[in-house]
Amino acid sequence: MKKVFTFLLVICLSVSGTILMAQNHALDFDGASNKVGILDSPELNPTAAMTLEAWINAEEWQSSIWAGVIISKQGSGPDKGWCLSAGENGRLEFTVSVDEAWKSVATPQLLGTNAWYHVAGVYTGTQVKVYINGVLIGTEDAIGSLTPGDGVVVNIGDNPTWTGRFFNGMIDEVRIWEVARTDAEIQANMSTELTGSEAGLVAYYPMNEGTGMAIADATSNGNDGQLINMAEENWVDGFVPVTADIGVMGIASPSLIGSGFSSDEKIRLEVKNYATE
């Protein structure tokens, strides 16, 4: 018998009532040699908890999830540091070294190309979490202390140890925290420029320079970045919040869809409003 599916949409609205600030500029990475280098410093080596955030707009995905680095401070001998990357047709992965062993969590293929997404990775001390547009997508248990990446530089757009893992697309609003940001905190501030003095914020790159060969750290820590293999044309327009963007988060019910349906079946979807209206 022909199977007929009736879809029931559950709209999950999550919109702040405040006016969102558009970012003026971003950096466009070519996926072949472009990156930003940031020297090692104590502030960039949290040991208890951390959060990484960025806005990304990929032109093309690398074939492997680890091959398109957004921001990384990974080292070896022992495993140390952290990395936020995306690839494999739109999967996002957050990796940290916990007690000298890599722990990671990844999403399904949810990210598209030529569209802006807010991505975030969080380590709480007991869990590794990954977010897309403020929505928690994946969680893995990992109990212990972060292994600091002492002596390893930070790269935006590449991996500092396993080089050649270049991101192909635009990156904006990079934030490094030494605290585990909550769901509500990520959602409240992901589309708004920060002051740089927020508690727990150890490095912040609004990338609003629009010119030159450096990006300034907007915190008082002074961890500025240097553009490598880049030029003036790598400066582009940055992220601007959209007014209409709704996406399906997943199927709420039934939990399993098999081949045994003999009549109409109601399927419940979860849909989220990612936009400003």
PDB file of all heavy atoms in Angstrom, residues 198-212:
ATOM      1  N   GLU A 198      33.874  41.429  28.750  1.00  0.00           N
ATOM      2  CA  GLU A 198      32.982  40.446  29.352  1.00  0.00           C
ATOM      3  C   GLU A 198      33.769  39.432  30.190  1.00  0.00           C
ATOM      4  O   GLU A 198      34.879  39.033  29.824  1.00  0.00           O
ATOM      5  CB  GLU A 198      32.195  39.720  28.260  1.00  0.00           C
ATOM      6  CG  GLU A 198      31.106  40.545  27.602  1.00  0.00           C
ATOM      7  CD  GLU A 198      31.617  41.537  26.573  1.00  0.00           C
ATOM      8  OE1 GLU A 198      32.846  41.523  26.294  1.00  0.00           O
ATOM      9  OE2 GLU A 198      30.808  42.298  26.031  1.00  0.00           O
ATOM     10  N   ALA A 199      33.182  39.018  31.307  1.00  0.00           N
ATOM     11  CA  ALA A 199      33.833  38.074  32.210  1.00  0.00           C
ATOM     12  C   ALA A 199      34.106  36.752  31.498  1.00  0.00           C
ATOM     13  O   ALA A 199      33.211  36.168  30.880  1.00  0.00           O
ATOM     14  CB  ALA A 199      32.960  37.833  33.437  1.00  0.00           C
ATOM     15  N   GLY A 200      35.339  36.285  31.585  1.00  0.00           N
ATOM     16  CA  GLY A 200      35.713  35.012  30.982  1.00  0.00           C
ATOM     17  C   GLY A 200      36.158  35.092  29.543  1.00  0.00           C
ATOM     18  O   GLY A 200      36.644  34.108  28.984  1.00  0.00           O
ATOM     19  N   LEU A 201      36.022  36.262  28.903  1.00  0.00           N
ATOM     20  CA  LEU A 201      36.440  36.429  27.512  1.00  0.00           C
ATOM     21  C   LEU A 201      37.939  36.713  27.475  1.00  0.00           C
ATOM     22  O   LEU A 201      38.397  37.723  27.992  1.00  0.00           O
ATOM     23  CB  LEU A 201      35.661  37.577  26.876  1.00  0.00           C
ATOM     24  CG  LEU A 201      35.872  37.819  25.377  1.00  0.00           C
ATOM     25  CD1 LEU A 201      35.373  36.636  24.557  1.00  0.00           C
ATOM     26  CD2 LEU A 201      35.172  39.108  24.947  1.00  0.00           C
ATOM     27  N   VAL A 202      38.714  35.828  26.850  1.00  0.00           N
ATOM     28  CA  VAL A 202      40.180  35.982  26.863  1.00  0.00           C
ATOM     29  C   VAL A 202      40.745  36.457  25.529  1.00  0.00           C
ATOM     30  O   VAL A 202      41.876  36.944  25.474  1.00  0.00           O
ATOM     31  CB  VAL A 202      40.867  34.672  27.295  1.00  0.00           C
ATOM     32  CG1 VAL A 202      40.509  34.322  28.732  1.00  0.00           C
ATOM     33  CG2 VAL A 202      40.504  33.517  26.361  1.00  0.00           C
ATOM     34  N   ALA A 203      39.985  36.327  24.444  1.00  0.00           N
ATOM     35  CA  ALA A 203      40.403  36.860  23.147  1.00  0.00           C
ATOM     36  C   ALA A 203      39.157  37.070  22.299  1.00  0.00           C
ATOM     37  O   ALA A 203      38.253  36.225  22.298  1.00  0.00           O
ATOM     38  CB  ALA A 203      41.370  35.913  22.436  1.00  0.00           C
ATOM     39  N   TYR A 204      39.128  38.196  21.584  1.00  0.00           N
ATOM     40  CA  TYR A 204      37.942  38.549  20.800  1.00  0.00           C
ATOM     41  C   TYR A 204      38.376  39.294  19.549  1.00  0.00           C
ATOM     42  O   TYR A 204      39.068  40.306  19.628  1.00  0.00           O
ATOM     43  CB  TYR A 204      37.001  39.407  21.656  1.00  0.00           C
ATOM     44  CG  TYR A 204      35.817  39.979  20.928  1.00  0.00           C
ATOM     45  CD1 TYR A 204      35.118  39.258  19.964  1.00  0.00           C
ATOM     46  CD2 TYR A 204      35.367  41.273  21.216  1.00  0.00           C
ATOM     47  CE1 TYR A 204      34.027  39.788  19.314  1.00  0.00           C
ATOM     48  CE2 TYR A 204      34.275  41.815  20.577  1.00  0.00           C
ATOM     49  CZ  TYR A 204      33.603  41.067  19.622  1.00  0.00           C
ATOM     50  OH  TYR A 204      32.520  41.616  18.975  1.00  0.00           O
ATOM     51  N   TYR A 205      37.961  38.774  18.387  1.00  0.00           N
ATOM     52  CA  TYR A 205      38.368  39.335  17.102  1.00  0.00           C
ATOM     53  C   TYR A 205      37.133  39.717  16.284  1.00  0.00           C
ATOM     54  O   TYR A 205      36.606  38.907  15.507  1.00  0.00           O
ATOM     55  CB  TYR A 205      39.224  38.322  16.337  1.00  0.00           C
ATOM     56  CG  TYR A 205      40.413  37.844  17.150  1.00  0.00           C
ATOM     57  CD1 TYR A 205      40.358  36.651  17.863  1.00  0.00           C
ATOM     58  CD2 TYR A 205      41.563  38.615  17.252  1.00  0.00           C
ATOM     59  CE1 TYR A 205      41.431  36.231  18.640  1.00  0.00           C
ATOM     60  CE2 TYR A 205      42.643  38.205  18.022  1.00  0.00           C
ATOM     61  CZ  TYR A 205      42.569  37.010  18.718  1.00  0.00           C
ATOM     62  OH  TYR A 205      43.620  36.591  19.494  1.00  0.00           O
ATOM     63  N   PRO A 206      36.649  40.966  16.424  1.00  0.00           N
ATOM     64  CA  PRO A 206      35.501  41.417  15.622  1.00  0.00           C
ATOM     65  C   PRO A 206      35.820  41.510  14.137  1.00  0.00           C
ATOM     66  O   PRO A 206      34.914  41.495  13.304  1.00  0.00           O
ATOM     67  CB  PRO A 206      35.186  42.809  16.201  1.00  0.00           C
ATOM     68  CG  PRO A 206      35.889  42.858  17.516  1.00  0.00           C
ATOM     69  CD  PRO A 206      37.082  41.976  17.399  1.00  0.00           C
ATOM     70  N   MET A 207      37.115  41.630  13.804  1.00  0.00           N
ATOM     71  CA  MET A 207      37.585  41.697  12.417  1.00  0.00           C
ATOM     72  C   MET A 207      36.966  42.867  11.657  1.00  0.00           C
ATOM     73  O   MET A 207      36.641  42.751  10.469  1.00  0.00           O
ATOM     74  CB  MET A 207      37.305  40.383  11.683  1.00  0.00           C
ATOM     75  CG  MET A 207      38.043  39.197  12.272  1.00  0.00           C
ATOM     76  SD  MET A 207      37.886  37.717  11.251  1.00  0.00           S
ATOM     77  CE  MET A 207      38.809  36.518  12.220  1.00  0.00           C
ATOM     78  N   ASN A 208      36.826  43.979  12.332  1.00  0.00           N
ATOM     79  CA  ASN A 208      36.231  45.152  11.697  1.00  0.00           C
ATOM     80  C   ASN A 208      37.271  46.113  11.119  1.00  0.00           C
ATOM     81  O   ASN A 208      36.923  47.213  10.699  1.00  0.00           O
ATOM     82  CB  ASN A 208      35.345  45.900  12.696  1.00  0.00           C
ATOM     83  CG  ASN A 208      34.002  45.200  12.876  1.00  0.00           C
ATOM     84  OD1 ASN A 208      33.599  44.403  12.044  1.00  0.00           O
ATOM     85  ND2 ASN A 208      33.319  45.492  13.968  1.00  0.00           N
ATOM     86  N   GLU A 209      38.554  45.696  11.094  1.00  0.00           N
ATOM     87  CA  GLU A 209      39.581  46.580  10.544  1.00  0.00           C
ATOM     88  C   GLU A 209      39.294  46.921   9.075  1.00  0.00           C
ATOM     89  O   GLU A 209      39.398  48.069   8.655  1.00  0.00           O
ATOM     90  CB  GLU A 209      40.966  45.938  10.664  1.00  0.00           C
ATOM     91  CG  GLU A 209      41.520  45.876  12.079  1.00  0.00           C
ATOM     92  CD  GLU A 209      41.005  44.689  12.872  1.00  0.00           C
ATOM     93  OE1 GLU A 209      40.196  43.898  12.322  1.00  0.00           O
ATOM     94  OE2 GLU A 209      41.385  44.543  14.039  1.00  0.00           O
ATOM     95  N   GLY A 210      38.982  45.917   8.280  1.00  0.00           N
ATOM     96  CA  GLY A 210      38.668  46.148   6.878  1.00  0.00           C
ATOM     97  C   GLY A 210      39.872  46.432   6.000  1.00  0.00           C
ATOM     98  O   GLY A 210      39.741  46.549   4.780  1.00  0.00           O
ATOM     99  N   THR A 211      41.051  46.522   6.595  1.00  0.00           N
ATOM    100  CA  THR A 211      42.271  46.796   5.841  1.00  0.00           C
ATOM    101  C   THR A 211      43.472  46.406   6.695  1.00  0.00           C
ATOM    102  O   THR A 211      43.356  46.226   7.917  1.00  0.00           O
ATOM    103  CB  THR A 211      42.366  48.288   5.462  1.00  0.00           C
ATOM    104  OG1 THR A 211      43.485  48.489   4.592  1.00  0.00           O
ATOM    105  CG2 THR A 211      42.513  49.153   6.688  1.00  0.00           C
ATOM    106  N   GLY A 212      44.633  46.266   6.065  1.00  0.00           N
ATOM    107  CA  GLY A 212      45.841  45.962   6.820  1.00  0.00           C
ATOM    108  C   GLY A 212      46.111  44.480   6.923  1.00  0.00           C
ATOM    109  O   GLY A 212      45.362  43.636   6.437  1.00  0.00           O
TER     110      GLY A 212
END
